[in-house]
Amino acid sequence: MEDLVHICTPPHTHVPLASMVMQAGVTALVEKPTALSLREMDQLATVQEQTGSKVLTVFQHRHGAAAVRLRRLARAGALGRPLVATCETLWYRPDAYFEVPWRGRCDVEGGGPTMGHGIHQFDLMLSVLGPWSQITALADRQTRPPLTQECTPSSPPWLLRSP
């Protein structure tokens, strides 16, 4: 049996904690978002390569029955060749959700509900359609001050094009 540490802390702590865990020779299971930037993801990849320990992220939506069936249909060609996909993350969170000091802040969480929850939809699309070649995004602040929504895209947020 292999040891594992599940990191369920505010997102800005994920990279340093996961790095420490991997340097101790243990697999790090990190809640999303794994990191707040590509630079931080590169840091985790480097530590993983140096230590041989794994860094994993929780993306449970790709394992649901509907996702598994959709992926099977897509891979069998039953849906045709995917060229364009749209992912709308239109979840609303009440003000109380953002009373937690780190929620919705780019410097601590990486963004608002899109980063904290919509990331699952992006992963689901990746698992069904495979890598995309182009992303177009729109961002807009809707109702909250900049600290809570400056990173949250508006609808339609993502237009994904397959290679």
Side-chain angles (χ1 to χ4, degrees):
M1 181 183 283
E2 185 176 328
D3 288 336
L4 175 117
V5 171
H6 191 182
I7 299 173
C8 306
T9 57
H12 71 286
T13 66
H14 291 174
V15 171
L17 291 174
S19 295
M20 289 185 340
V21 166
M22 290 188 294
Q23 288 167 354
V26 177
T27 295
L29 176 61
V30 184
E31 283 297 327
K32 56 19 178 189
T34 311
L36 301 183
S37 69
L38 289 175
R39 182 184 52 76
E40 287 187 348
M41 285 300 296
D42 289 342
Q43 289 173 341
L44 288 175
T46 298
V47 174
Q48 181 173 269
E49 187 176 305
Q50 291 171 345
T51 65
S53 298
K54 297 175 190 160
V55 60
L56 309 171
T57 302
V58 177
F59 285 120
Q60 73 273 18
H61 292 204
R62 64 171 45 208
H63 301 289
V68 170
R69 182 162 190 247
L70 181 58
R71 196 167 33 254
R72 191 175 302 125
L73 288 169
R75 290 190 178 143
L79 306 175
R81 180 175 166 232
L83 299 173
V84 176
T86 301
C87 180
E88 295 182 351
T89 56
L90 304 175
W91 296 297
Y92 173 79
R93 295 291 181 250
D95 289 340
Y97 178 85
F98 294 101
E99 289 174 3
V100 175
W102 54 266
R103 283 199 178 139
R105 293 186 44 194
C106 286
D107 61 335
V108 182
E109 186 188 24
T114 298
M115 204 46 187
H117 303 281
I119 195 170
H120 286 291
Q121 304 315 309
F122 308 146
D123 176 68
L124 178 58
M125 290 181 74
L126 178 64
S127 78
V128 171
L129 302 173
W132 40 77
S133 63
Q134 179 182 353
I135 300 175
T136 303
L138 299 173
D140 189 14
R141 206 172 23 238
Q142 298 292 318
T143 60
R144 294 194 173 87
L147 286 180
T148 59
Q149 283 197 347
E150 63 188 9
C151 297
T152 302
S154 64
S155 175
W158 307 94
L159 176 65
L160 310 173
R161 297 191 187 278
S162 295

